[in-house]
Amino acid sequence: MSITLALLAAAAQAAPADNPPVAPPAPQTNSQAAPDEQEDPGRLGPAQQSGGDILVTARRRAETIQSVPIAMSVIGGKAVSDTGAYNVGRLTQLQPSLQFYSTNPRNSAANIRGLGAPFGLTNDGIEQGVGIYVDQVYYSRIASATFDFTDTDRIEILRGPQGTLYGKNTTAGAINITTRKPSFDTEARFEVSGGNYDFFQAKGSISGPLVGDVVAGRFSASFTTRRGTIWNTTQEQWQNSQDNLSLRGQMLFRAASNLDITLYADYNRQAPTCCVQYYARLAPTQRPANRQYTALAAAAGYAVPSTNAFDRITDVDTPLRARQKLGGASMVANWDLGPATLTSVTAWRFWNWDPSNDRDFIGLPITTVSANPSQQDQYSQEIRLGSNGKHAIDYTVGMFYFYQTIDTQGLQVQGPAASAWLLNPTSAAAKNPATLNGLTSRNTIGFKNTSAALFGKLTWHVTDKLQISPGARLNYDKKEGSYISVVTNGQGSTNLTSDQRGVLAPQSYAPKFDNWNFSGDITLAYEFSPDVHSYATYARSYKSGGINLSGLPLDANNNPILSTATVKPETVNHYELGLKTQLLDRRATINLAAFWTDIYDYQATVNNFQLAVLRGYLANAGKVRTRGIEFDSAFRPTSGLNLYVNGAYTDAKYVRFANAPCPPELSGGSNSPPFCDISGQRLPGVSKWAFSYGAEYNWPAGDGQVYVGYDGSYRSDFSSNPSPSAYMNIAGYSLSNFRLGYRKGDKLNIFAWVRNAFDQNYYELLTTQSGSTGLIVGQPGDPRTFGVTLSFGIN
């Protein structure tokens, strides 16, 4: 099992169980931290302390994290604040095995150990491999989980398949977010931060009794704003800004001594001027020289404001927008039956997406409109029965039902510069702006997704030291889609020329998929001593098949290739060994995990390099393998000094992918191969080496503490293209964050911080301009930021 820096933040205090009101008895500890080590949980400083026990609910019961035979990490709510990790994307600096990529909220992906969602543009027709859960509710799209964390108690990151424990099948892992619960003691928490780039963030929560000791409520809110870090010379505004509002309410009703019901409601609004990608570098392709970027730009008399992306200047001419509204309501009921607790989780969620992008990535009117507004609704019901206490056999069994609808209205419009840029420059059609000006594609996309499952896991305590835990899952998935693209020319006619069809071709298809699947796992756990635990796991897992809902690749006659409308399910064989140790009177924790995962019919997002739209569609790679070793270590040599080092070595490769699309440098020519064999090459987005490390030192000051802290992270280079390309590797980089402050228990914490302190230039992503022009555009990471945070509590 793996523990990040903030996992140990909870070392002095048990986290609440998922099944109140009568939680299982607290696990017996074999040694306790000294009284002066029992500091407040969730704070980054004690996050590295190695004393005490941390309770988690990864297996749907309260257990100490060191005894749970799952590779997992926990980040406490105060560590989220101290490190500035206030959304899923920022967790990657704390957890080396977690990867997160985003060109905008919709096109986001969270991966664990290189697996989860295909790297590239999001396709609604497939599942996530990494499940996102907030207060036990499954969030079906990573886009709906890009909210700012509000009133967070802890975040559990589970690595490896989790389908026998969680409602929705997850083949790569799960991110389980738990917010603070309503309290029957009146309390309030507030936090305000300010910094450069006009950064301002305010968070607050208040909780207390509403009706005696029967009903309690909690309300929390978060607001974040920051101007952009990229200056647009055409639109004369800062872009890639932040503008987020989050509201959350809870009401706990103790209906009886053994029954409680909690109602949740939340609303989130994001309206940033986002997200711009722009000139990063050039790469040769197989296109004739007069159809590549240098010649095309010269012919148009065009030059980008800067060829150095880290000047942070662009001139894209389409207004940018990444507006979304998301929220929902849920009810969690826990009924203690004595030997077991029955839990019901009922939820509805919505996500409304309203974007505007510049998909030619430069300041010429080539593609003047590119937007895919989308509306999603999901409904889910989970029922679980979990044993209470510790018996010869413990168990969790459950049923899960999920239904989702997505409606998308796509629009793409070509502008007056499109003809010269996208067509053969020597042709008459290219010399006539009217050929493509006003060429419009209107896409109507519908999707229905139904999933149901029976799942369960037993833990047989063979002896006091040996456990055997088998699990099983029976899953049903059904997906139905509709994709209709109507293309009209500048005069509004559907009678298109071959040049126009070569840029935007009409499509209409209705893919379907349904399948039953049975999967399972087994874990053997052995306790060598109270502070040395080990486990071995085998899992046979499954990721549902999918349907392509982003348009299909075209044949030589510009007709959709219907055979690509569906993709096969993934089949996963996963093997893992783990060792968890605490040493030196629990002042040192060193945990190791080794894993090997084979994925058959891996679902990859690939690019077809069409002229006008970089369309990402799905394809099955024959086999993918990821393997590696992870370690987490934390040390507390003195009561005032905490140290941690976490690391991951991940070797993720295509074992067999003979019919993959070719990388940019082999694409675009009349003699370019239709497919490339990329077997043996690495998966995109995965660094072979990744580390997080840091320290905090504190010393007494009156009735509080002064502290200084450092947090660093490093990741080695990785590929930013589904088919590896010599021109699309992102170099390795390291980031350093510092903070200096004063804290006084829960009452007061004030600190100054600087993030990316050495102003490291690095890319989060690279991608290609459509049409095989050789232009590669990038999305730079945040520059150095600094500011001050003040938080205080009232009890």
Side-chain angles (χ1 to χ4, degrees), residues 1-3 66 68-71 526-529 531-536 576-583 589-594 630-632:
M1 178 171 57
S2 180
I3 305 178
Q66 287 293 96
V68 177
I70 298 174
Y526 188 79
E527 179 184 299
F528 289 101
S529 74
D531 291 331
V532 179
H533 302 256
S534 66
Y535 67 89
E576 184 160 338
L577 296 173
L579 181 66
K580 304 170 292 177
T581 67
Q582 291 182 296
L583 309 169
T589 297
I590 302 175
N591 294 336
L592 302 172
E630 302 161 339
F631 74 90
D632 286 347

Side-chain angles (χ1 to χ4, degrees), residues 403-633:
Y403 179 72
Q404 173 190 34
T405 62
I406 303 178
D407 292 303
T408 302
Q409 309 82 43
L411 178 64
Q412 181 166 323
V413 181
Q414 302 306 121
S419 299
W421 195 270
L422 299 176
L423 303 179
N424 187 336
T426 62
S427 68
K431 297 175 182 178
N432 180 9
T435 303
L436 297 182
N437 189 26
L439 184 69
T440 300
S441 174
R442 292 181 172 84
N443 307 327
T444 302
I445 307 168
F447 179 62
K448 294 181 180 179
N449 181 13
T450 302
S451 181
L454 300 174
F455 62 94
K457 195 172 184 70
L458 305 180
T459 299
W460 175 28
H461 301 275
V462 183
T463 70
D464 289 342
K465 296 181 178 297
L466 177 64
Q467 298 178 17
I468 300 177
S469 301
R473 180 183 186 89
L474 178 64
N475 208 87
Y476 174 74
D477 291 285
K478 181 179 180 180
K479 296 179 173 67
E480 299 176 278
S482 173
Y483 185 96
I484 301 173
S485 176
V486 177
V487 180
T488 57
N489 60 24
Q491 290 73 47
S493 172
T494 58
N495 186 19
L496 307 177
T497 67
S498 60
D499 287 317
Q500 292 167 338
R501 286 181 61 88
V503 173
L504 291 176
Q507 297 191 34
S508 179
Y509 63 98
K512 293 183 179 181
F513 171 88
D514 71 284
N515 191 40
W516 287 89
N517 179 267
F518 182 79
S519 57
D521 56 38
I522 186 167
T523 296
L524 275 69
Y526 188 79
E527 179 184 299
F528 289 101
S529 74
D531 291 331
V532 179
H533 302 256
S534 66
Y535 67 89
T537 295
Y538 167 72
R540 173 79 167 183
S541 191
Y542 161 87
K543 181 179 175 183
S544 170
I547 57 179
N548 272 306
L549 286 178
S550 295
L552 302 180
L554 307 178
D555 61 19
N557 297 317
N558 291 318
N559 294 315
I561 304 173
L562 295 179
S563 62
T564 63
T566 61
V567 290
K568 301 175 185 176
E570 290 182 359
T571 302
V572 178
N573 283 329
H574 173 77
Y575 311 85
E576 184 160 338
L577 296 173
L579 181 66
K580 304 170 292 177
T581 67
Q582 291 182 296
L583 309 169
L584 304 175
D585 195 25
R586 297 194 174 187
R587 291 183 178 274
T589 297
I590 302 175
N591 294 336
L592 302 172
F595 62 92
W596 185 303
T597 307
D598 292 320
I599 307 97
Y600 298 87
D601 293 320
Y602 174 78
Q603 296 167 0
T605 296
V606 294
N607 300 326
N608 64 358
F609 299 106
Q610 281 179 230
L611 286 179
V613 55
L614 187 66
R615 198 181 299 280
Y617 68 98
L618 295 169
N620 286 111
K623 182 181 178 182
V624 158
R625 182 217 66 216
T626 180
R627 62 185 179 185
I629 298 175
E630 302 161 339
F631 74 90
D632 286 347
S633 60

Side-chain angles (χ1 to χ4, degrees), residues 133-180:
Y133 294 85
V134 180
D135 291 326
Q136 306 188 60
V137 175
Y138 174 71
Y139 283 36
S140 61
R141 292 296 165 199
I142 188 63
S144 64
T146 57
F147 55 85
D148 289 353
F149 298 143
T150 303
D151 213 10
T152 300
D153 179 70
R154 70 188 186 278
I155 301 169
E156 301 175 1
I157 301 173
L158 287 70
R159 304 194 288 279
Q162 304 297 328
T164 62
L165 282 171
Y166 285 77
K168 198 71 175 73
N169 198 22
T170 54
T171 56
I175 300 174
N176 189 20
I177 301 170
T178 301
T179 63
R180 294 187 179 97

Side-chain angles (χ1 to χ4, degrees), residues 56-142:
V56 296
T57 54
R59 294 198 296 179
R60 302 306 195 186
R61 64 175 70 96
E63 302 173 281
T64 61
I65 190 169
Q66 287 293 96
S67 67
V68 177
I70 298 174
M72 65 177 297
S73 306
V74 177
I75 299 173
K78 291 184 180 177
V80 167
S81 174
D82 287 355
T83 60
Y86 54 82
N87 56 37
V88 172
R90 290 177 177 253
L91 294 178
T92 58
Q93 293 186 35
L94 304 179
Q95 176 44 248
S97 297
L98 176 67
Q99 300 92 33
F100 182 83
Y101 309 100
S102 178
T103 56
N104 60 40
R106 181 179 186 273
N107 289 304
S108 300
N111 285 1
I112 292 175
R113 297 171 171 172
L115 304 177
F119 187 89
L121 300 179
T122 293
N123 197 310
D124 287 331
I126 64 167
E127 308 285 347
Q128 306 175 161
V130 175
I132 308 293
Y133 294 85
V134 180
D135 291 326
Q136 306 188 60
V137 175
Y138 174 71
Y139 283 36
S140 61
R141 292 296 165 199
I142 188 63

Side-chain angles (χ1 to χ4, degrees), residues 764-780:
E764 294 181 344
L765 287 172
L766 294 173
T767 192
T768 57
Q769 187 186 49
S770 56
S772 296
T773 67
L775 174 62
I776 295 175
V777 298
Q779 184 167 301

